[in-house]
Each structure stands twice: as structure tokens, then as C-alpha cells.
């Protein structure tokens, strides 16, 4: 059993107290001294991203620590500007200059030893990015070269990684068909000849053609209409099952990911504030921010007056409030909240919340769910 691991208990949630890394290996990897359970595919520890500029140091990801279980679907949700995309970039050591990433991202392949993604040589990192961890971004059009057919993208990827052309193209056909596409037609098409939904599905197939174990998706359906979003969510669930994938699905759309994910991690102000099984977080959220987020979900069973946007703005990364970063927007904030960052508290389930007043939040920040509207 794995999870956010700020606490240590009988379920195997672990405190990592020794964050020192081992020596780099001859392959350029850095192997952590800590061992990973075989069911854990990724352990992010104290992952922090900063950008230094004239306006000061912007912390755009703040000491994120979480374990990802093999073959689970982890939903990462938060408002715009909460650090979601930086979470994805840091996981792949893809933060652009002059950003600085610290902490560790241990990846535990099915075969071979665990390694720290942040300690890889650039050659090894390029291989890991397609062969072990793949990523799909919002807006497939920008990810494809408009002058190349879809087939060329597959062939170039296969060639660059020295893989068997026949085997991989057969897998490309299998993936495209699994995504309900006419493989022959799509492969011969240029990106502009496909609809947005077809392009996004072709991009998912391309990401999976080298059979990575982990697929990271950053707002992959944001540019699509609702029907296509739902269709892609259904297809992802079936792909995950068929190819034993682990998926990290990053989005601002809580209802969308709630229907897909096994667990949810809620990001606010560049750090995780709540994490747990999806059904538990949705039905019994413990953090005032999560509960406020759930109040923003459109719901025909709730009067419009009870639906409310979250007041105030996300913090500026160069000027994050002291103490609990949500306190300027939180109806329950008191002096204690302003002076010290709340530690994670484990609730009665595998469910952790960083808040001093979880019980008060449950009593006073109300939200209503409609069956089938939000949740798995
Ligand atoms: S710690 Fe205080 S300010 Fe932060 S979310 Fe909880 S009640 Fe609100």
C-alpha cells in the first residue's frame, strides 16, 4: 500500500528521513539508498522547483512528497496556477531553465534497479522519457509537426530509440485500434486532416508505442468538447487495464478525473494539501480548499446560490503567505493558521489532510454531491 507519505503507520506509509542520494552509477543514474516496495512505481520526495529572478525567488512546487502505486490512476487536481504543470515537468526532470528542481523522483521499473530521474545523464533521460515514462500534453496540434504524417512521428520515435520497426508499428496499429481509430487512415494523415479528438488519441498512441510503464497526462482533454472528453476518459480506463499502465492525470477538472482515478492529490499553492482514495476525498473532503473546490462543481441538485467560486486569488509564487498558504482565503483561518504550516494529519482512512481544523471544515464548509455527477 502506498500513498502520500508524510506519516508512518501500519498501512506502510513511510517517513523518509534520510534524503541523501547514493553515488551516481556508470550509467549516469543516481540510485537512492532507500528501497522501494515492488508495488510502488514512483516516489517523489521533497520535490521543489524554484525560479530566481529580479522579483525574487518563485517557488512553483513546494516540497511535494508522494508515492504512486504501480497500475493505479492518480488524479492531480487544483486551480490554474496551483503548480499542476510543474508537478508533471518535475516528475520528468523537464523543468525549463532557469528553473531549479531539488528533491528526488525515484522510479522503480518492473525490471532493473530503482533510479532517481533527477540524477540521470541527458542521454539516459531522453531514453527514460519515452521508454519508461511518457507524457501527453494539452493540445495535440502543438505536439505534432504539421509537415509530417502521423506515421512519420511513430517511425521517427521508434528509430530514435533503436527499437524494432515492425514490432513497434504493429503495436501502433494495436493502440490506435484500441483508441477506436482507423489505424491505416490515421497513420497516413497529416495532423491537420484529423479532428481534435482524433489527434489527441493519436498522440496518446504515440506516447505508448514504446510501452512505457507510466503515462503522465497534463490537461490532456482540456481543448476537447465534453463528449470527446468523456470518451477519452473511458478509453484511458480500458488502456490502463489492457496494458497494465500507471497513469498520472493532471487537471483542473475535478469531476472529470474523479470518474477515472483511484486516488486524488489536491494541489494548492504549489503543494499537496489533501490526498487519498478518490471516493473518500470526494465524499468526505477534509481540507477547506478541497471542499470549496467541490462547491464549484456544477450540480443540478443544488441551488445556484449554494454554488460559489472560491473567493480570492491563488498566491503569487514569489510571495506565498506564511503559515497555511490558504489562510487568506479560508473562512476557518485563525492565528495559528497564519503562523505555522499545518502538518499532514491522517484521517481514519488512507486519507491525509494538511489542515488544523479538519473537523470544523467538515461541519461548516458544506457541499452536495449528485449521484453519478462527481466521483468514481
Ligand atoms: S490550516 Fe487553517 S487556514 Fe489552513 S486550511 Fe486549515 S483552517 Fe484553513
Amino acid at each position: 500500500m502506498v500513498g502520500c507519505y508524510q506519516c508512518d503507520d501500519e498501512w506502510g506509509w513511510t517517513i523518509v528521513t534520510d534524503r541523501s542520494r547514493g553515488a551516481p552509477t556508470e550509467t549516469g543514474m543516481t540510485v537512492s539508498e532507500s528501497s522501494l516496495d515492488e508495488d510502488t512505481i514512483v516516489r517523489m520526495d521533497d520535490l521543489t522547483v524554484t525560479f530566481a529572478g529580479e522579483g525574487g525567488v518563485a517557488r512553483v512546487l513546494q516540497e511535494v512528497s508522494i508515492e504512486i502505486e504501480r497500475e493505479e490512476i492518480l488524479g492531480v487536481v487544483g486551480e490554474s496556477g496551483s503548480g499542476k504543470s510543474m508537478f508533471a515537468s518535475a516528475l520528468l526532470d523537464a523543468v525549463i531553465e532557469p528553473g531549479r528542481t531539488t528533491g528526488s523522483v525515484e522510479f522503480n521499473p518492473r525490471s532493473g534497479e530503482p533510479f532517481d530521474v533527477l540524477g540521470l545523464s541527458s542521454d539516459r533521460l531522453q531514453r527514460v522519457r519515452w521508454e519508461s515514462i511518457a507524457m501527453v500534453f494539452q493540445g495535440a496540434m502543438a505536439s505534432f509537426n504539421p509537415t509530417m504524417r502521423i506515421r512519420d512521428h511513430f517511425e521517427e520515435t521508434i528509430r530514435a530509440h533503436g527499437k524494432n520497426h515492425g514490432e513497434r508499428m504493429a503495436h501502433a496499429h494495436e493502440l490506435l485500434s484500441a483508441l477506436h481509430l482507423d489505424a491505416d487512415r490515421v497513420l497516413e494523415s497529416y495532423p491537420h486532416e484529423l479532428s481534435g479528438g482524433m489527434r489527441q488519441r493519436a498522440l496518446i498512441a504515440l506516447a505508448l508505442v514504446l510501452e512505457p510503464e507510466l503515462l503522465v497526462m497534463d490537461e490532456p482533454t482540456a481543448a476537447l468538447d465534453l463528449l470527446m472528453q468523456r470518451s477519452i476518459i473511458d478509453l484511458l480506463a480500458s488502456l490502463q487495464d489492457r496494458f497494465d499502465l500507471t497513469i498520472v492525470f493532471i487537471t483542473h477538472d475535478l469531476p472529470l478525473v474523479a470518474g477515472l482515478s483511484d486516488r486524488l492529490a489536491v494541489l494548492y499553492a504549489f503543494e499537496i494539501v489533501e490526498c487519498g482514495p478518490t471516493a473518500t476525498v470526494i465524499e468526505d473532503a477534509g481540507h477547506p480548499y478541497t471542499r470549496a473546490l467541490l462547491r464549484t462543481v456544477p450540480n443540478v441538485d443544488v441551488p445556484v446560490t449554494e454554488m460559489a467560486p472560491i473567493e480570492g486569488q491563488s498566491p503569487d509564487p514569489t510571495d506565498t503567505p506564511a503559515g497555511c498558504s490558504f489562510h487568506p482565503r479560508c473562512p476557518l483561518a485563525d492565528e495559528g493558521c497564519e503562523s505555522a504550516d499545518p502538518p499532514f494529519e491522517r484521517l481514519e482512512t488512507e486519507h491525509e489532510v494538511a489542515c488544523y481544523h479538519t473537523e470544523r471544515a467538515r461541519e461548516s464548509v458544506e457541499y452536495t454531491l449528485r449521484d453519478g455527477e462527481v466521483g468514481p
Side-chain angles (χ1 to χ4, degrees):
M1 193 70 67
V2 292
C4 330
Y5 56 101
Q6 279 76 10
C7 56
D8 189 5
D9 63 28
E10 66 276 18
W11 294 317
W13 301 42
T14 315
I15 295 175
V16 178
T17 51
D18 179 2
R19 296 191 167 106
S20 61
R21 299 185 193 172
T25 68
E26 66 279 5
T27 59
M29 298 182 197
T30 304
V31 179
S32 168
E33 291 169 357
S34 59
S35 60
L36 286 178
D37 185 284
E38 65 177 23
D39 292 334
T40 304
I41 188 167
V42 168
R43 176 159 66 197
M44 303 165 86
D45 186 22
D46 264 357
L47 197 60
T48 298
V49 178
T50 53
F51 283 81
E54 289 178 4
V57 175
R59 294 174 80 83
V60 291
L61 198 66
Q62 174 84 23
E63 295 175 0
V64 166
S65 295
I66 189 169
E67 290 187 356
I68 302 170
E69 189 171 354
R70 202 178 294 285
E71 296 176 29
E72 78 165 330
I73 302 180
L74 173 70
V76 179
V77 294
E79 293 172 292
S80 175
S82 61
K84 300 188 303 294
S85 292
M86 211 44 71
F87 179 95
S89 297
L91 205 167
L92 283 108
D93 197 13
V95 173
I96 54 166
E97 295 284 342
R100 180 163 179 268
T101 308
T102 57
S104 65
V105 181
E106 284 181 89
F107 182 78
N108 189 18
R110 274 206 180 85
S111 55
E113 293 297 312
F115 54 85
D116 185 350
V117 175
L118 304 187
L120 299 177
S121 65
S122 59
D123 283 354
R124 177 69 182 142
L125 182 61
Q126 290 309 316
R127 291 216 305 279
V128 163
R129 278 191 191 148
W130 279 93
E131 296 173 29
S132 301
I133 309 173
M135 185 147 182
V136 171
F137 293 98
Q138 171 183 350
M141 197 63 189
S143 300
F144 286 120
N145 182 333
T147 68
M148 290 166 60
R149 292 173 307 163
I150 300 297
R151 171 184 294 282
D152 302 327
H153 293 82
F154 279 87
E155 291 183 340
E156 190 170 282
T157 303
I158 293 165
R159 193 166 43 245
H161 287 260
K163 301 296 180 187
N164 181 290
H165 179 272
E167 271 178 25
R168 291 299 100 205
M169 285 309 292
H171 191 49
H173 274 82
E174 183 185 15
L175 287 163
L176 290 165
S177 300
L179 286 158
H180 296 182
L181 292 168
D182 177 339
D184 288 328
R185 187 197 146 201
V186 166
L187 286 169
E188 298 314 315
S189 300
Y190 286 90
H192 71 271
E193 294 175 319
L194 303 176
S195 69
M198 292 169 79
R199 274 196 300 270
Q200 201 65 11
R201 282 178 284 160
L203 186 60
I204 293 169
L206 179 60
L208 297 178
V209 74
L210 301 184
E211 297 192 66
E213 295 179 50
L214 173 63
L215 179 63
V216 180
M217 314 188 82
D218 186 10
E219 300 277 14
T221 61
L224 305 176
D225 63 49
L226 271 180
L227 278 179
M228 184 49 66
Q229 285 183 359
R230 290 286 169 194
S231 163
I232 286 186
I233 289 293
D234 290 343
L235 290 170
L236 280 175
S238 109
L239 278 182
Q240 187 274 333
D241 190 39
R242 184 161 163 185
F243 297 106
D244 299 330
L245 272 174
T246 306
I247 298 177
V248 175
F249 193 103
I250 298 166
T251 181
H252 68 284
D253 192 333
L254 182 51
L256 186 76
V257 75
L260 175 72
S261 61
D262 301 303
R263 278 195 309 145
L264 279 178
V266 181
L267 273 176
Y268 181 76
F270 326 110
E271 57 189 340
I272 293 176
V273 296
E274 180 154 9
C275 183
T278 298
T280 308
V281 172
I282 294 295
E283 289 164 13
D284 193 21
H287 197 282
Y289 173 66
T290 312
R291 298 183 75 86
L293 209 54
L294 283 158
R295 280 177 62 123
T296 67
V297 173
N299 185 335
V300 295
D301 290 348
V302 175
V304 173
T305 50
E306 287 185 25
M307 287 175 51
I310 305 173
E311 288 185 13
Q313 299 290 322
S314 292
D316 181 330
T318 62
D319 189 23
T320 307
C324 172
S325 53
F326 190 54
H327 83 253
R329 304 171 76 184
C330 181
L332 306 179
D334 59 20
E335 280 184 16
C337 303
E338 295 174 24
S339 58
D341 206 5
F344 266 85
E345 177 194 359
R346 195 185 75 241
L347 304 184
E348 63 279 7
T349 57
E350 304 166 35
H351 179 192
E352 289 183 304
V353 180
C355 174
Y356 290 119
H357 302 302
T358 299
E359 279 313 312
R360 279 176 55 206
R362 285 163 147 175
E363 288 162 12
S364 58
V365 184
E366 295 181 353
Y367 63 93
T368 306
L369 299 176
R370 175 183 171 225
D371 282 350
E373 194 68 27
V374 177

